[in-house]
Amino acid sequence: MMEAARAALFFAYRDLLRFWKFKHWLASQIVMNLADVVIFALVFSNIVNRQYIPDYVKFMATGVLAASIFASSFSIGREVGAEIRREVSHYLLALPAPRYALIAGRVLGGTLRGLVYQLAFIALNVVLVGVPNLSQALAIAYTSLLLSAAMSALAIAISTSTRDFNLQATFRALTYYTLFFFSSVFYPKEVLALRFPQPVAEAVVHTPVSLAAEVYRWGFGYSSSVSPTALFEITAWAVALLAVASLLYARNVSGK
Amino acid sequence: MSLRRDLEALLLLVRWDLTRMWRRKVFVVMRVVWFAVQVTVFGLALAAMVRFRGAVAQGIDYYHFYLLGVYTSMLFSISVSNAYEVAEEFEEGIIEYHLSLPIKRSVLTVGRSIGGGLAAFFFTLPMYAMVLALMGGGPPLAMAASLGAALVFSVGVVGLVLSVVLSVKSGDATDILFGLIDAIIIRLSTVFYPSVVLARYAPYYYAALANPISHFVDFARTLFFFEEYRALAVADPLLMLSYLLGFAAGLVSAAVYVVERKLEGGGWR
């Protein structure tokens, strides 16, 4: 058991070290997430109905925190996908470590990457939106940890489902659009209720990305309250996504 | 005789790209689904929260504005996705195989640019039809002109893709660079907001003025809703069309230059 835990930690450590290897990729991701705030949100705030969103820049800054977790956690999926394409996965499977240690290590590596990457956007939110108190900071940290783990596992499962580079990129984008368009990252639930049937608008509020965005908005002081079940729901989502995605990765990496 | 052989080679290359696209039916269906989600969820929600302020933009239906914008961003993204395919061809040695064919390098590049552009154009036709249906149709002349401009635009973008991918010669650099180009260029254009709104931020405004995406999308909007959008477009319609033609010709020429002068020597990284 200790051996397996040590192997998992080693895989995670290796993935974290490799994170810095892709400095340009990191820079491009940061620019993309920043562009959502400093270009899209800033310009769009001039045409948003202030009755629904008084300050679109602050609204998006907190939403981008969830998007940043997605982008960085998905970096592990990108690499694991390349490993399958280049058959490095055969080497990893041949290492003297149980398969579950490999899976746990890769997910942990992706989680750590997500958390490290998010730090810059946490700082941006402190500057733009507000400073959280202790309980708010703990809720933000817990949300980020679970969201990052869930997104990493999902990214690994998706990126290893095909060897086709283009299809991998398409799956990645499709997952992004599904998770983020059906969320309250870009628009509040009041706007969704205007356009969609009540059950759809209500369901969107309970997706993992919406829940995380709501916790972040409360945590940085953009909104004054958050659903009391939000953290519980995020936990349930993370457990379910981790379980399903780990099983899929185990199947994809062994080619069965 | 030589011209005839060149044209035959050009047609073969165009067919190569079109056949490749045809084999990717799953990929096309996925992108169409993603587009449908974008126009029905994201588009409707954005339109619900937009309220134009100021006299210039009064009376504009943001959903129509968004529909042509999102079609443009999709056409751009699909054309850019050629970068991933070219990168894969490089990894698999298909580029070297193409270079060894008895075809002039210039014909090879023009053929791949037109083929890639046509493939992206056909790929996005279902999205165009969806946009048209959601807008309630449009004048036949506007449809013909916008489709022609879409083809010119996608050929230009594929020219850009070939120039960049064949210069950087790296799968990772391609992934990073085009992810970045896709994100920044679309946001710094008039895809989501009119130029009058962008004018509040001088650097963004001038970037949007130089951006070929703004020229294509505003040209298409002016074709369908002339009265509403002529005051909002980045330029006069003829000027926008000239810009698009120059963009396509310039970038295909740049790709020819890269393939003829820079491609050989140094492996794929």
Side-chain angles (χ1 to χ4, degrees), chain A residues 32-42 57 60-61 64 124 128:
Chain A
M32 263 169 75
N33 289 143
L34 273 178
D36 271 333
V37 179
V38 299
I39 304 175
F40 178 77
L42 185 63
V57 175
M60 269 299 284
V64 160
L124 180 76
L128 285 180

Side-chain angles (χ1 to χ4, degrees), chain A residues 203-242:
Chain A
V204 168
V205 176
H206 298 283
T207 60
V209 175
S210 294
L211 289 164
E214 291 311 310
V215 172
Y216 292 141
R217 283 183 186 128
W218 167 76
F220 286 97
Y222 176 82
S223 54
S224 54
S225 63
V226 66
S227 162
T229 59
L231 290 180
F232 172 75
E233 286 180 63
I234 291 173
T235 311
W237 269 110
V239 170
L241 284 172
L242 275 168

Side-chain angles (χ1 to χ4, degrees), chain B residues 23 53 65 77 88 95 107 127 141 182 205 207 209:
Chain B
R23 284 201 207 108
R53 292 179 276 272
F65 181 89
S77 294
E88 210 163 68
I95 295 288
V107 175
M127 289 93 154
L141 197 63
D182 206 359
Y205 178 65
L209 285 188

Side-chain angles (χ1 to χ4, degrees), chain A residues 85-102:
Chain A
R85 263 199 339 272
R86 292 166 189 165
E87 299 184 343
V88 179
S89 51
H90 292 170
Y91 159 74
L92 293 173
L93 288 174
L95 290 172
R99 199 147 302 172
Y100 65 84
L102 171 69

